[in-house]
Amino acid sequence: SATESQITTSKSMHTIQERRITSRKFLIATGASPVLPKDLAQSADRVGVPYFTYRSLLRPRNGVETLLNVTSASGSNVVLIGGGATACELGQAICRLGGNDLNVSIVAPAIIPTEDVELQQSAIKILQRDGCNLYLGSRAMDVIKSDKDRLVLLNTNVTVPVDCLVFCMGRSPEASLKNLNLDRAGIFWTADEGVTVNSYLRSTSAPHVFASGDCASAIPKRDRRAIHAGWTGFNAVRNSILPSFLRSPACHPHVPRVIYTDPEIASCGMSENECIRKYGADGYDSLNVREEGTDRADVEGKERQTDSTFVELRAEKISGRILGASACGPAAAEIINEVCLALVNRLTVRDMARTLHSYPSHGYLLYRISMALATQTISSLLAGCGSVGRLLSAQIRILARILSFLKCRWLPWRRRAGRKLSEWQARGATKSLVLQSRAGEVTLLSYLDAYSNNTLKERIVSGDNTAFGNEITYGRDGFVNWVDSCGL
């Protein structure tokens, strides 16, 4: 008898646990499971260190009880492997659960590496404020035992004491899809991406099969969120029912990305790296405003920290169309929801500036940024001066676009050089130097920001391992190689 779910036929009949189901269409929505590195898990078993994923940790009987036992012992050590959203959320929660008697460490090459450096820096401040130790630029290689201590060995030959391991190394659809024996039904899939589907979430090898959520290859990894899984599930079912001429791409173009730490970390639309890659470092407008010093921050200053909270908005230079945003704050998710509405409807900073926001709400900071971006050029100012002003503003923007087009059309060598420069700047915006103060506090400095400081750039290239009085613990060699790769 069958002991696991299996798909055994190719077209319209599938056998699942000895039950045969016949249908014209099938939808695969098995999601993804947490990644568990076998080598580290076996090493932990060998030395007797309990380990969890985010899923097993939250089970009441085994996970939560074991964690409570570990955190109740004074001087216990919990090590999280990975630096994504899950590591940030669980790291802060465990720190607050254990208090000052618990040592919580995060080992990762970087914190939320898919987000902008500004958001990474906010995440680092949030975690350090709650007492989390960060080992950035590092990878866990082994779990060993030395005398009475159990240690995690890093690739930098540093060891971290451990009494409990939590793996936060992402998710993969492999485990859930492997049990279905999709190959027997002629359904193509890969362990990393999931079921191979087109933009309509229809299988490329079995036209009667659709897939949605985290197990569909058409969904970008950074957009594999719970809300997007529901959206793609609805659209996959709709596309499977409707005739081909009524189908539409099923992936949403603007998915909010939120990390539920305290305060929240959120973003949507094009990141700084993507904007630089498309428009160049000076080809788009961007404004970052810190919450510290604002009226709302002054009101709540004694209840929460405001040194890591901010709102940043990015927009096209000529049209003012909103491209993306980043935010860190107690209502960052709500701010990003508003920006997602603007992205879907292709609104401009002028549209947002014309929308009054209550004062002193958290969203008022977004309104201030929009107002600043909407009033920085003559065409933007004219847009608010009646029908004649709007007409003149539109003509100025049209003229600016024509001049920009002719410049690229007549000078193709400059276009190629500009594209090469944008690619180089985009790489510098995503990579950062890891700085550590004498007190052990970790800060980040992007390659692009370090390069803009000529004195600092020369010192680092010449071999100096300090920046602003802090030691560069990771990234100096990469920065030098990035500077040498410019070639312009």
Side-chain angles (χ1 to χ4, degrees):
S1 62
T3 58
E4 60 185 8
S5 300
Q6 295 182 349
I7 294 181
T8 60
T9 63
S10 61
K11 180 62 179 174
S12 62
M13 240 180 330
H14 294 247
T15 300
I16 301 178
Q17 289 184 348
E18 296 185 341
R19 182 183 176 187
R20 186 158 294 185
I21 300 175
T22 303
S23 176
R24 291 183 179 180
K25 303 290 174 63
F26 287 88
L27 173 64
I28 300 175
T30 53
S33 302
V35 174
L36 183 65
K38 293 182 179 179
D39 293 341
L40 289 176
Q42 291 173 355
S43 299
D45 283 331
R46 187 177 62 250
V47 299
V49 174
Y51 60 85
F52 303 93
T53 64
Y54 70 89
R55 185 171 293 176
S56 60
L57 181 68
L58 300 177
R59 290 174 181 164
R61 292 186 178 179
N62 298 326
V64 174
E65 286 182 3
T66 303
L67 180 63
L68 289 175
N69 290 334
V70 171
T71 56
S72 62
S74 179
S76 295
N77 302 281
V78 176
V79 177
L80 292 89
I81 309 296
T86 303
C88 293
E89 293 171 352
L90 285 180
Q92 185 183 49
I94 295 173
C95 279
R96 293 185 172 185
L97 181 65
N100 297 329
D101 294 331
L102 182 68
N103 300 314
V104 179
S105 303
I106 293 180
V107 177
I111 294 294
I112 50 175
T114 58
E115 296 293 348
D116 293 333
V117 173
E118 190 74 27
L119 286 178
Q120 295 179 32
Q121 182 61 60
S122 292
I124 288 173
K125 285 185 178 181
I126 291 169
L127 292 170
Q128 288 185 145
R129 187 181 300 128
D130 281 301
C132 190
N133 304 309
L134 302 179
Y135 295 85
L136 302 184
S138 304
R139 297 181 184 274
M141 305 302 293
D142 199 0
V143 183
I144 60 177
K145 193 170 185 178
S146 175
D147 296 331
K148 296 182 179 180
D149 296 328
R150 296 170 295 181
L151 309 168
V152 175
L153 177 64
L154 310 185
N155 62 333
T156 55
N157 291 326
V158 174
T159 56
V160 183
V162 60
D163 295 301
C164 178
L165 271 175
V166 182
F167 293 109
C168 306
M169 303 180 69
R171 296 176 295 170
S172 170
E174 180 181 12
S176 56
L177 293 177
K178 188 176 181 180
N179 293 334
L180 295 178
N181 287 342
L182 297 178
D183 297 333
R184 297 179 62 182
I187 302 171
F188 294 162
W189 69 284
T190 62
D192 187 48
E193 298 291 338
V195 180
T196 306
V197 296
N198 57 21
S199 60
Y200 303 108
L201 300 183
R202 188 178 190 179
S203 171
T204 58
S205 59
H208 67 296
V209 175
F210 291 76
S212 67
D214 293 353
C215 66
S217 64
I219 301 176
K221 287 192 173 181
R222 78 170 186 177
D223 291 340
R224 294 187 178 186
R225 313 271 168 167
I227 186 63
H228 199 209
W231 171 272
T232 57
F234 166 79
N235 283 277
V237 172
R238 183 197 61 183
N239 287 339
S240 69
I241 296 173
L242 295 177
S244 58
F245 62 87
L246 289 178
R247 293 173 183 166
S248 62
C251 297
H252 200 286
H254 305 295
V255 181
R257 306 181 292 274
V258 183
I259 302 173
Y260 289 98
T261 50
D262 179 21
E264 298 167 351
I265 298 171
S267 63
C268 66
M270 296 178 67
S271 64
E272 179 188 17
N273 166 43
E274 292 168 331
C275 288
I276 292 176
R277 196 176 299 276
K278 182 173 182 179
Y279 300 100
D282 300 322
Y284 69 101
D285 290 327
S286 177
L287 183 59
N288 182 310
V289 176
R290 316 297 300 184
E291 189 193 18
E292 191 171 22
T294 64
D295 293 342
R296 184 60 181 256
D298 291 341
V299 170
E300 300 176 350
K302 291 186 178 181
E303 299 177 1
R304 60 181 177 89
Q305 297 291 331
T306 59
D307 58 334
S308 62
T309 52
F310 71 95
V311 176
E312 180 177 316
L313 192 63
R314 296 173 283 275
E316 280 189 349
K317 188 172 285 291
I318 296 177
S319 68
R321 183 170 65 87
I322 294 171
L323 300 173
S326 306
C328 177
E334 278 66 33
I335 291 174
I336 290 302
N337 287 341
E338 181 178 355
V339 178
C340 282
L341 177 65
L343 289 169
V344 169
N345 293 280
R346 300 178 64 84
L347 301 182
T348 66
V349 289
R350 297 184 300 278
D351 296 323
M352 190 166 288
R354 285 197 295 265
T355 305
L356 293 180
H357 289 58
S358 60
Y359 171 86
S361 64
H362 293 291
Y364 184 75
L365 196 58
L366 181 64
Y367 171 73
R368 284 179 51 189
I369 296 172
S370 303
M371 183 66 73
L373 291 175
T375 56
Q376 64 180 352
T377 62
I378 294 177
S379 62
S380 298
L381 290 171
L382 286 173
C385 299
S387 57
V388 176
R390 287 194 294 273
L391 178 61
L392 292 174
S393 175
Q395 291 177 340
I396 291 175
R397 291 196 299 273
I398 292 173
L399 179 61
R401 285 194 178 279
I402 293 174
L403 292 176
S404 178
F405 172 78
L406 293 177
K407 182 179 178 180
C408 294
R409 191 75 173 178
W410 287 349
L411 303 174
W413 61 88
R414 292 190 60 178
R415 181 173 56 187
R416 289 193 294 269
R419 189 180 299 116
K420 184 178 180 181
L421 177 62
S422 297
E423 290 288 338
W424 179 77
Q425 291 172 332
R427 291 199 305 272
T430 58
K431 297 181 179 181
S432 57
L433 299 166
V434 179
L435 313 179
Q436 187 168 5
S437 67
R438 293 181 179 179
E441 293 184 355
V442 176
T443 56
L444 300 180
L445 181 66
S446 73
Y447 286 3
L448 199 59
D449 289 338
Y451 185 84
S452 63
N453 188 320
N454 290 327
T455 303
L456 179 60
K457 177 188 68 175
E458 296 298 332
R459 284 174 47 199
I460 296 175
V461 171
S462 63
D464 194 345
N465 205 41
T466 61
F468 305 116
N470 298 326
E471 181 185 0
I472 301 175
T473 60
Y474 181 75
R476 196 192 74 82
D477 293 339
F479 175 77
V480 174
N481 293 334
W482 174 74
V483 172
D484 293 339
S485 69
C486 180
L488 296 175

